[in-house]
Amino acid sequence: MSSKIPAIVLGGTGYVSGELLRLIIGHPTFSLAGVMSDSSPGELAGKSFPHLAGVLGDAAFKSQAEISALIAKEKTSAVFCAAPHGAAAALIDTLLKASEAAGTKPRFVDISADFRFATAAGYEAVYKHAHGAPRRLSQFTCAVPEHLKSAPTPHVGHPGCFSTSILLASVPLLASGWVDPTLFVTGITGSTGSGRKPVEGTHHPTRHSDLYSYGALGHRHAPEITALAKAATGVDADYAFVPHSGPFARGIHATVQARLKSPRDAAAVVGMLREFYAGAPFVRVLDNAPRVEDIVASNYAHLSAVANGRTVAVMSVVDNLNKGAAGGAVQWMNRLFGLAETTGLTAPAAGWT
């Protein structure tokens, strides 16, 4: 495509919105056209994201009405929704109605949980409230980019950070048929995964130099992971998931363990992972244990594995704000517009964070 594609961010001042803005500003094809914050319309976006102030310039937050008018005016646009779950679906529905009335065709990638389930009943069973736009579910596909070559729908729901890290590790195991479909998962996430507003138990000062589990065997993302794994492999697996709060700001480290159906060694499992992800530019399979620091602020995922003939463990690290949210969303949006999925996303990890 020769001309720039207008890009719009919904969700205002959160960490994921900030990461989206950073990626869009550096993207060769997308051009930032607007960022919505109904609570702060007219306020300079750089005030909420001082690290981006030098490149955001005089860009100011827009109201929902202004964003709706922008989507109705542009022939096409790339719309990234980082609004909270429970609010995203209704917001997207309203904006799609405006575009339909105007005859424009925006593409949406939603980073909330609102379009991760194929049915409203599946969503409502987990989130305990009615879905905000059930008739839109058929217009969205949810998958880790590495597990689906292209979306059969005009819009995409992003799987989220824990789901991305765990699915990258577990889907090859299930697809290979090498393991029993009961998976034991430990995931450790940085404090930015809890959002920007500090609350008890997630505020970084309470997590610094500490490590603790939460939502053990009952975390709300486990049903999403189970459903997405089945969609990718056809296997109805049982995920026993224990998430932890880690003493760092960015990144996720997930370990997936399973019982092998027949003896395999580490070399065989690592080889299988490399073959599975041979065409995936953002997944690197290592001989040694992956480290969070090596992927922070990048769209890369690092995997490795060990096996003792009876049990296999696959380790996966991703950046929760990038590969697990904003970067994965840009990767999908690139595909929706027929761009190479690596466009604007090949910057390496920052290192020494």
Side-chain angles (χ1 to χ4, degrees):
M1 290 187 173
S2 57
S3 59
K4 293 276 189 174
I5 299 169
I8 296 165
V9 176
L10 313 176
T13 61
Y15 290 136
V16 172
S17 295
E19 190 70 357
L20 280 168
L21 291 174
R22 185 179 73 84
L23 293 174
I24 291 168
I25 289 166
H27 198 283
T29 305
F30 298 143
S31 177
L32 183 64
V35 53
M36 187 188 117
S37 175
D38 243 3
S39 62
S40 309
E43 184 177 284
L44 290 177
K47 183 177 179 180
S48 292
F49 306 109
H51 64 300
L52 300 176
V55 288
L56 284 171
D58 60 359
F61 291 121
K62 297 182 183 296
S63 67
Q64 181 176 327
E66 290 173 310
I67 291 294
S68 183
L70 179 61
I71 290 173
K73 181 186 75 171
E74 298 289 351
K75 182 177 180 181
T76 188
S77 54
V79 187
F80 300 91
C81 183
H85 74 267
L91 172 60
I92 289 171
D93 183 44
T94 297
L95 295 175
L96 280 173
K97 286 176 181 176
S99 72
E100 289 161 354
T104 60
K105 293 186 177 181
R107 296 297 185 99
F108 281 77
V109 175
D110 179 38
I111 304 175
S112 83
D114 284 7
F115 292 98
R116 293 177 187 167
F117 289 93
T119 66
Y123 173 85
E124 291 162 9
V126 174
Y127 289 93
K128 310 304 180 186
H129 60 252
H131 192 274
R135 75 183 187 92
R136 298 289 183 187
L137 287 169
S138 62
Q139 298 175 13
F140 282 77
T141 299
C142 183
V144 173
E146 286 73 15
H147 298 157
L148 189 65
K149 288 185 178 181
S150 62
T153 55
H155 314 294
V156 168
H158 191 279
C161 51
F162 261 138
S163 296
T164 296
S165 61
I166 293 167
L167 288 164
L168 286 173
S170 61
V171 161
L173 291 177
L174 296 171
S176 70
W178 289 4
V179 299
D180 293 334
T182 298
L183 307 175
F184 298 90
V185 182
T186 297
I188 306 170
T189 182
S191 57
T192 52
S194 302
R196 193 163 189 171
K197 184 179 180 180
V199 296
E200 186 178 359
T202 63
H203 190 32
H204 190 74
T206 69
R207 297 166 64 136
H208 179 67
S209 299
D210 201 2
L211 179 68
Y212 51 90
S213 67
Y214 65 98
L217 302 182
H219 195 276
R220 70 188 182 193
H221 292 324
E224 298 170 7
I225 294 166
T226 301
L228 292 171
K230 185 173 183 179
T233 67
V235 178
D236 194 3
D238 178 21
Y239 283 84
F241 176 35
V242 181
H244 292 73
S245 292
F248 47 90
R250 292 181 69 150
I252 283 181
H253 186 296
T255 301
V256 177
Q257 297 186 69
R259 179 70 66 182
L260 288 160
K261 292 180 179 178
S262 59
R264 312 273 180 178
D265 61 13
V269 180
V270 169
M272 179 271 289
L273 291 172
R274 285 192 174 127
E275 182 177 356
F276 191 90
Y277 288 118
F282 292 114
V283 179
R284 293 172 174 168
V285 181
L286 313 178
D287 292 320
N288 301 315
R291 302 169 69 97
V292 168
E293 192 173 74
D294 295 337
I295 51 80
V296 165
S298 81
N299 197 53
Y300 293 95
H302 287 183
L303 306 180
S304 192
V306 294
N308 63 7
R310 303 177 308 278
T311 303
V312 59
V314 179
M315 287 71 68
S316 167
V317 294
V318 304
D319 183 277
N320 57 300
L321 295 181
N322 199 310
K323 179 60 176 165
V330 171
Q331 190 177 345
W332 263 122
M333 193 67 81
N334 283 338
R335 289 181 174 186
L336 292 178
F337 278 96
L339 305 171
E341 67 180 305
T342 57
T343 307
L345 292 172
T346 56
W352 303 291
T353 53

